Amino acid sequence: MNGGHGRNSYANNSSLQRNVIDRSKTMIDEAIANHLDIQICPPSSSNTFRIADFGCSVGPNTFIAMENIIEAIDLKYRKSGSTPEFHVYFSDHTSNDFNTLFAYLPPGKAYFAAGVPGSFHTRLFPKGTLHVAHSSTSLHWLSRVPKEVLDTNSPAYNKGRILYTNAAHQVFEAYSAQFGKDIQAFLHARAEEIVCGGLMVLNVPAIRDQTPPSEFQTETFSIFWDLVSWTWPRR
Ligand SMILES: C[S@@+](CC[C@H](N)C(=O)[O-])C[C@H]1O[C@@H](n2cnc3c(N)ncnc32)[C@H](O)[C@@H]1O
């Protein structure tokens, strides 16, 4: 993503992604209240909750998402009589602008911060260390263009295009298979890293199962306009 804090930076052009985070807050509150099992899984002898944001990018969104999670855990945990501490790991590709990210950490933040560079399709944390794994509008990024799509001899060859709307069914199948491999790699890695009783919060842009490939673009735009119309009055 575009780093820095300029006019064209991700930090200043990510209000749609911000809406996704805002809209998921109530679900996160409920999930933490009802499913984060601190009885099975006390944070640790030092009372520290460890939360990671996978695909954090730069800008306010990741801070807002982490604060929402912390607030919900704090509310639940304080009822049991002790004061938790929080360690937040901001994770993204090594090329992410971590300098800008850290320069804009909220001054009064109620957590310790760390950066974790690397692909979320691989292991990034030791076994059984994370209490909450979060990722928002990032998991649709594929690790690579499927090789068949670039192979001129393959029925899935996409003639250099990056869209598969109106493309041969094999092109859609190739992208779909790549997403299958990538999400499996993500889930395998997180399965090792998350403590028992921990939680995963994933916001993934999607289209309905029954949508035919010819309507992918229309459906994607309708989700996009839904978010824009939700954003507009609030700006
Ligand atoms: C659209 S941004 C979302 C940023 C932030 N979560 C938000 O809600 O505003 C997607 C981010 O995912 C990151 N990303 C994509 N693939 C990744 C991977 N394999 N490993 C780590 N980060 C990845 C990108 O670098 C980018 O910063």
Side-chain angles (χ1 to χ4, degrees):
M1 312 299 306
N2 259 1
H5 241 264
R7 198 157 170 252
N8 299 320
S9 62
Y10 181 76
N12 282 324
N13 291 278
S14 46
S15 52
L16 291 182
Q17 292 86 337
R18 159 77 191 268
N19 283 341
V20 174
I21 288 166
D22 288 348
R23 283 183 172 202
S24 61
K25 185 179 181 329
T26 315
M27 280 188 279
I28 291 173
D29 288 348
E30 281 169 17
I32 287 173
N34 300 327
H35 300 295
L36 182 66
D37 200 338
I38 54 177
Q39 295 306 321
I40 303 180
C41 187
S44 71
S45 54
S46 64
N47 245 5
T48 306
F49 272 98
R50 287 178 292 272
I51 306 164
D53 191 20
F54 293 93
C56 62
S57 194
V58 188
N61 294 354
T62 185
F63 303 139
I64 294 162
M66 295 302 96
E67 275 158 22
N68 288 345
I69 290 172
I70 287 171
E71 234 177 74
I73 299 177
D74 202 43
L75 186 70
K76 173 169 181 155
Y77 201 67
R78 271 178 198 274
K79 287 183 190 157
S80 73
S82 61
T83 317
E85 290 193 304
F86 296 94
H87 206 162
V88 172
Y89 301 92
F90 295 96
S91 183
D92 206 296
H93 280 307
T94 48
S95 54
N96 187 53
D97 185 0
F98 283 103
N99 284 335
T100 298
L101 179 76
F102 292 137
Y104 285 87
L105 276 167
K109 67 183 174 47
Y111 54 85
F112 299 94
V116 178
S119 170
F120 53 49
H121 296 126
T122 64
R123 280 283 304 282
L124 293 167
F125 292 90
K127 278 189 182 184
T129 49
L130 292 179
H131 296 93
V132 180
H134 173 270
S135 183
S136 192
T137 53
S138 299
L139 284 173
H140 57 297
W141 286 48
L142 300 182
S143 61
R144 53 166 299 157
V145 177
K147 59 180 184 318
E148 311 87 295
V149 165
L150 302 171
D151 176 1
T152 50
N153 296 316
S154 163
Y157 178 56
N158 200 23
K159 305 180 185 82
R161 291 177 302 202
I162 57 167
L163 272 180
Y164 52 71
T165 315
N166 297 325
H169 191 66
Q170 288 92 334
V171 179
F172 161 73
E173 294 283 324
Y175 276 105
S176 185
Q178 185 62 51
F179 179 74
K181 284 183 209 156
D182 286 349
I183 196 75
Q184 199 173 27
F186 177 91
L187 293 173
H188 275 144
R190 302 300 83 76
E192 298 276 353
E193 295 165 352
I194 298 175
V195 297
C196 97
L199 270 188
M200 198 157 55
V201 176
L202 309 178
N203 286 326
V204 188
I207 48 175
R208 283 179 283 256
D209 274 353
Q210 66 275 22
T211 310
S214 60
E215 285 172 28
F216 284 175
Q217 214 165 344
T218 323
E219 173 118 348
T220 313
F221 274 113
S222 93
I223 294 167
F224 175 79
W225 286 117
D226 183 36
L227 285 170
V228 170
S229 60
W230 203 74
T231 314
W232 200 254
R234 305 168 64 241
R235 297 190 101 190

